Amino acid sequence: MNRLRTSLSIFALLFAGNILAQTTIIKADPAADGPTISKHIYGHFAEHLGRCIYGGFYVGEDSEIPNTAGVRMDVVEALKAMKIPNLRWPGGCFADTYHWKDGIGPKEDRPSILNIWWGNVREDNSFGTHEFLNMCELLETEPYLSANVGSGTPQEFADWIKYTTHPAGSSPMPELREKNGRKEPWKVKFWGVGNEAWGCGGNMTPEYYSDVYRRFSTFSTDWANSDGLVRIASGASSSDYNWTEVLMKNIPKNLIEAIALHHYSVIDWGNKGPATGFTEEQYFTIMERALHMEELIVKHVAIMDKYDPEKKVALFVDEWGGWYDVEPGTNPGFLYQQNTMRDAMVAGVTLNIFNNHADRVKMANLAQAVNVLQAVVLTEGERMLLTPTYHVMKMYNVHHEAQLVPLSFVAPQFIYEDRELPAVSASASVDAENLLHLSLVNIDSRQSHTVEIDLSAFDLKKISGTILSGESLDDHNTFDSPENITTKAFNGATLTNGKVKLSLPPFSVVVLEGAK
Ligand code: AHR
């Protein structure tokens, strides 16, 4: 009997120890003066690529699909509901082949060009500056125009700024705008000075591009930048730290407001693997690539801090996301891929990283909004679906313009063979209504993880939540089954003496809301 009691208590101890070992304790720091999380971290990107613009956003006025001036309203309503804060256009690589004057005036007079980067298809320029900026008004989002530096001129760039933003009648460009049907200027603050200048934007060296940038930027506005432009230098690809170093050193601070960074989660450019039906190893590798964003930001920011300790120049991660093989049978140049719970994991951890670096990361743009790469919306004819990534973006919109609450914790491990990753990722903020929001991701494909967050300093009275999870990592929405993956209310969090405890199911995203 005694022996049984002893072994039972040893078992109880071991069991309790195991539970304790598995509970991740998260500390929230309410006293810290956290930065505001810019809503622009939740930005998007629309390129003239595959079916992003044509068929995705734009179907033309004669379409049977309900539209306003050719822009499909189902997509507009979905993106508005997600609170899309900005939209980058027209590229991408396409931007450095795009001459904006081809896309204004009567459509029948607009010249066609060949879209050399994306499938060599004919671009008829029926979707141009007016169509894009009017669409941004419909979406209630801020436009980000990416200008042609690679094959354009400083004059074209300066003219585009005047055409879109200068007051009616103030100079020939606004007069031309008025002639084309728009009297009042649009509000366009964000201007990309080229794209991927190290590659499709001109294969430049950072030294050469710095000089080109200085030239284009000089003619963009007046001495004092009284147009209030945010000029964005084409930034590094992933870990090309030398690119950031040279630009930060060579570009005077009065000519630049932001520097970009592009990082895609891709297994191998020559063998990307499928968007669905991937292996566990492929999943793990994609999560390694996505979590690499943390190191990239830390290292690029360290370089920026050296040249700009006051943090006047922002870091814009204006292209990011998962990149896989195209769906079988689709045009390889159109980059159309499905979107699964794996993508929800990529989105969840990446957005947490951006939130946690909100002091320098002021914008990010998921590539791309509709029908291309890690899209939030897919369309097929008149049908539309919302992807798991859409749901994460919508769940996280509670962080827009909220104050970051720094968190500290040691994450449990997610182990695959001899490789390991942090299983749990988190970020938190307090909004203008004093609501606390925590976004938590468990990327572990097999195990739940229990977390306990000490929020006693916030004096919370109730906690509620939303969850995105699935049966399998490969789960996704289809046009026949568009609601396979959707958010659900999450009632699994307990609040005791200011401590919130919950178990995060395998590959899940949970957003909690704490109210006083
Ligand atoms: O998003 C697709 C392409 O990826 C963009 O056009 C380019 O900037 C990047 O290489």
Coordinates of all heavy atoms in Angstrom, one line a residue, residues 45 47-49 88 90-96 117-118 195-196 198 200-201 262 264 269 318-320 323 335 366-368 372-373, ligand 1:
F45 N -0.5 44.9 -51.6 CA 0.3 45.1 -52.8 C -0.5 44.5 -54.0 O -1.0 43.4 -53.9 CB 1.6 44.4 -52.6 CG 2.6 44.3 -53.8 CD1 2.6 45.3 -54.7 CD2 3.4 43.3 -53.9 CE1 3.5 45.3 -55.8 CE2 4.3 43.2 -55.0 CZ 4.3 44.2 -55.9
E47 N -0.1 44.2 -58.1 CA 0.8 44.5 -59.3 C 0.0 44.0 -60.5 O -0.9 43.2 -60.5 CB 2.1 43.6 -59.1 CG 3.0 43.7 -60.3 CD 4.4 43.2 -60.0 OE1 4.6 42.5 -58.9 OE2 5.3 43.4 -60.8
H48 N 0.4 44.6 -61.7 CA -0.1 44.1 -62.9 C 0.6 42.8 -63.2 O 1.6 42.7 -63.9 CB 0.2 45.1 -64.0 CG -0.7 46.3 -64.0 ND1 -1.6 46.7 -65.0 CD2 -0.9 47.2 -63.0 CE1 -2.2 47.8 -64.6 NE2 -1.9 48.1 -63.4
L49 N 0.1 41.8 -62.6 CA 0.7 40.4 -62.6 C -0.4 39.4 -62.6 O -1.2 39.4 -61.6 CB 1.6 40.3 -61.4 CG 2.6 39.2 -61.2 CD1 3.4 39.3 -59.9 CD2 2.1 37.8 -61.4
R88 N -0.2 49.2 -52.4 CA 1.0 49.5 -53.3 C 0.7 49.1 -54.7 O 0.3 47.9 -55.0 CB 2.2 48.8 -52.7 CG 3.5 49.0 -53.5 CD 4.6 48.3 -52.7 NE 5.9 48.5 -53.3 CZ 6.6 47.5 -53.9 NH1 6.2 46.3 -53.9 NH2 7.8 47.8 -54.5
P90 N 2.0 50.2 -59.2 CA 1.6 49.1 -60.0 C 2.5 47.9 -60.0 O 2.3 46.9 -60.7 CB 1.5 49.7 -61.4 CG 2.7 50.6 -61.4 CD 2.8 51.2 -60.0
G91 N 3.6 48.0 -59.2 CA 4.5 46.8 -59.1 C 5.4 47.1 -57.9 O 5.2 48.2 -57.2
G92 N 6.3 46.3 -57.6 CA 6.8 45.1 -58.3 C 7.7 45.5 -59.5 O 7.9 46.6 -59.9
C93 N 8.2 44.4 -60.1 CA 9.0 44.5 -61.3 C 8.2 45.2 -62.4 O 8.9 46.0 -63.2 CB 9.3 43.1 -61.8 SG 10.4 42.2 -60.7
F94 N 6.9 45.1 -62.5 CA 6.2 45.8 -63.5 C 6.4 47.3 -63.4 O 6.4 48.0 -64.4 CB 4.7 45.5 -63.4 CG 3.8 46.1 -64.4 CD1 3.8 45.6 -65.7 CD2 3.1 47.3 -64.1 CE1 3.0 46.3 -66.7 CE2 2.3 47.9 -65.0 CZ 2.2 47.4 -66.3
A95 N 6.6 47.8 -62.2 CA 6.6 49.3 -62.0 C 7.8 49.9 -62.8 O 7.6 51.0 -63.3 CB 6.8 49.6 -60.5
D96 N 8.9 49.2 -63.0 CA 10.0 49.8 -63.7 C 9.9 49.7 -65.2 O 10.9 50.0 -65.9 CB 11.3 49.2 -63.1 CG 11.7 49.9 -61.8 OD1 12.1 51.1 -61.8 OD2 11.5 49.2 -60.8
W117 N 7.8 40.9 -67.6 CA 8.1 40.1 -66.5 C 7.1 39.0 -66.2 O 7.4 38.0 -65.6 CB 8.3 41.0 -65.2 CG 9.3 42.1 -65.3 CD1 9.1 43.4 -65.1 CD2 10.7 41.9 -65.7 NE1 10.3 44.1 -65.3 CE2 11.2 43.2 -65.7 CE3 11.5 40.9 -66.1 CZ2 12.6 43.5 -66.0 CZ3 12.8 41.1 -66.4 CH2 13.3 42.4 -66.3
W118 N 5.9 39.3 -66.5 CA 4.8 38.4 -66.0 C 4.0 37.8 -67.2 O 2.9 38.2 -67.5 CB 3.9 39.1 -65.0 CG 4.7 39.7 -63.9 CD1 4.8 41.0 -63.6 CD2 5.6 39.0 -63.0 NE1 5.7 41.2 -62.5 CE2 6.2 40.0 -62.2 CE3 6.0 37.7 -62.8 CZ2 7.1 39.7 -61.2 CZ3 6.9 37.3 -61.8 CH2 7.5 38.3 -61.0
N195 N 11.9 49.9 -57.7 CA 11.6 48.7 -57.0 C 12.7 47.7 -57.4 O 13.1 47.6 -58.5 CB 10.3 48.1 -57.5 CG 10.1 46.6 -57.1 OD1 9.7 46.4 -55.9 ND2 10.3 45.7 -58.0
E196 N 13.2 47.0 -56.3 CA 14.2 46.0 -56.5 C 15.3 46.5 -57.5 O 15.6 45.8 -58.5 CB 13.6 44.6 -56.9 CG 12.8 44.1 -55.8 CD 12.4 42.6 -55.8 OE1 12.6 42.0 -56.9 OE2 11.9 42.1 -54.8
W198 N 18.3 46.4 -57.4 CA 19.4 45.4 -57.5 C 19.1 44.3 -58.5 O 19.9 43.5 -58.8 CB 19.7 44.8 -56.1 CG 18.4 44.5 -55.3 CD1 17.8 45.3 -54.4 CD2 17.6 43.3 -55.5 NE1 16.7 44.7 -53.9 CE2 16.5 43.5 -54.6 CE3 17.6 42.2 -56.3 CZ2 15.5 42.5 -54.4 CZ3 16.6 41.2 -56.1 CH2 15.6 41.4 -55.2
C200 N 15.3 43.3 -61.0 CA 14.4 43.6 -62.2 C 14.3 45.2 -62.3 O 13.9 45.6 -63.4 CB 13.0 43.0 -62.1 SG 12.1 43.5 -60.6
G201 N 14.6 45.9 -61.3 CA 14.5 47.4 -61.4 C 15.8 48.0 -62.0 O 15.9 49.3 -62.0
H262 N 12.7 43.6 -48.9 CA 11.8 42.5 -49.4 C 12.3 41.2 -48.9 O 13.5 40.9 -48.9 CB 11.9 42.4 -51.0 CG 11.2 43.6 -51.6 ND1 11.1 43.7 -53.0 CD2 10.5 44.6 -51.1 CE1 10.4 44.8 -53.3 NE2 10.1 45.4 -52.1
Y264 N 10.8 37.1 -49.0 CA 9.8 36.1 -49.2 C 10.2 34.8 -48.5 O 11.4 34.4 -48.4 CB 9.7 35.7 -50.7 CG 9.0 36.8 -51.5 CD1 9.6 37.8 -52.2 CD2 7.6 36.9 -51.5 CE1 9.0 38.8 -52.8 CE2 6.9 37.9 -52.1 CZ 7.6 38.9 -52.8 OH 6.9 39.9 -53.5
W269 N 14.5 28.8 -54.6 CA 13.9 29.4 -55.8 C 13.7 28.5 -57.0 O 12.9 28.6 -57.8 CB 14.7 30.6 -56.2 CG 14.6 31.8 -55.2 CD1 15.4 32.2 -54.3 CD2 13.4 32.6 -55.1 NE1 14.9 33.2 -53.6 CE2 13.6 33.5 -54.0 CE3 12.1 32.6 -55.7 CZ2 12.7 34.4 -53.6 CZ3 11.2 33.6 -55.3 CH2 11.5 34.5 -54.3
D318 N 8.1 46.2 -47.8 CA 7.0 46.4 -48.8 C 6.8 45.2 -49.7 O 5.9 45.3 -50.6 CB 7.1 47.8 -49.5 CG 8.3 48.0 -50.3 OD1 9.1 47.1 -50.5 OD2 8.5 49.2 -50.7
E319 N 7.4 44.1 -49.5 CA 7.0 42.8 -50.1 C 7.4 41.7 -49.1 O 8.6 41.6 -48.7 CB 7.7 42.6 -51.4 CG 7.1 43.5 -52.5 CD 7.7 43.1 -53.9 OE1 8.0 42.0 -54.2 OE2 7.8 44.1 -54.7
W320 N 6.4 40.9 -48.8 CA 6.7 39.7 -47.9 C 5.6 38.7 -48.2 O 4.5 39.0 -48.7 CB 6.8 40.1 -46.4 CG 5.5 40.6 -45.8 CD1 5.0 41.8 -45.8 CD2 4.6 39.7 -45.1 NE1 3.8 41.9 -45.1 CE2 3.5 40.6 -44.7 CE3 4.5 38.4 -44.7 CZ2 2.4 40.1 -43.9 CZ3 3.4 37.9 -44.0 CH2 2.4 38.8 -43.6
W323 N 5.9 32.0 -50.9 CA 6.0 31.9 -52.4 C 6.2 30.4 -52.7 O 7.2 29.8 -52.3 CB 7.1 32.7 -52.9 CG 7.2 32.9 -54.4 CD1 6.9 32.0 -55.4 CD2 7.6 34.1 -55.0 NE1 7.1 32.6 -56.6 CE2 7.5 33.9 -56.4 CE3 8.1 35.4 -54.6 CZ2 7.9 34.8 -57.4 CZ3 8.4 36.3 -55.6 CH2 8.3 36.1 -56.9
L335 N 1.8 33.4 -61.1 CA 2.1 33.2 -59.6 C 0.8 33.0 -58.8 O 0.6 33.6 -57.8 CB 2.9 34.4 -59.1 CG 4.1 34.8 -59.8 CD1 4.9 35.9 -59.1 CD2 5.1 33.6 -60.1
L366 N 1.9 42.9 -47.8 CA 1.9 41.4 -48.1 C 1.7 41.3 -49.7 O 1.0 42.0 -50.3 CB 0.6 40.8 -47.5 CG 0.4 39.4 -47.7 CD1 1.5 38.5 -47.2 CD2 -0.9 38.9 -47.0
A367 N 2.5 40.4 -50.2 CA 2.5 40.1 -51.7 C 1.7 38.8 -51.9 O 2.1 37.8 -51.4 CB 3.9 40.0 -52.2
Q368 N 0.6 39.0 -52.7 CA -0.1 40.2 -53.1 C -1.6 40.1 -52.8 O -2.0 39.0 -52.4 CB 0.1 40.4 -54.6 CG 1.5 40.6 -55.0 CD 1.7 41.1 -56.4 OE1 0.8 41.3 -57.2 NE2 3.0 41.1 -56.9
V372 N -2.5 36.4 -56.4 CA -1.1 36.3 -56.6 C -0.4 36.0 -55.3 O -0.6 36.7 -54.3 CB -0.5 37.6 -57.3 CG1 1.0 37.6 -57.3 CG2 -1.1 37.7 -58.7
L373 N 0.5 35.0 -55.3 CA 1.3 34.6 -54.1 C 0.4 34.5 -52.9 O -0.7 33.9 -53.0 CB 2.4 35.6 -53.9 CG 3.4 35.7 -55.1 CD1 4.5 36.7 -54.9 CD2 4.1 34.3 -55.4
Ligands
AHR1 O1 5.7 40.0 -56.0 C1 6.2 39.4 -57.1 C2 7.6 40.0 -57.5 O2 8.5 39.7 -56.5 C3 7.6 41.5 -57.6 O3 7.2 42.0 -58.8 C4 9.1 41.8 -57.3 O4 9.3 43.1 -56.8 C5 9.5 40.7 -56.5 O5 10.7 40.1 -56.9

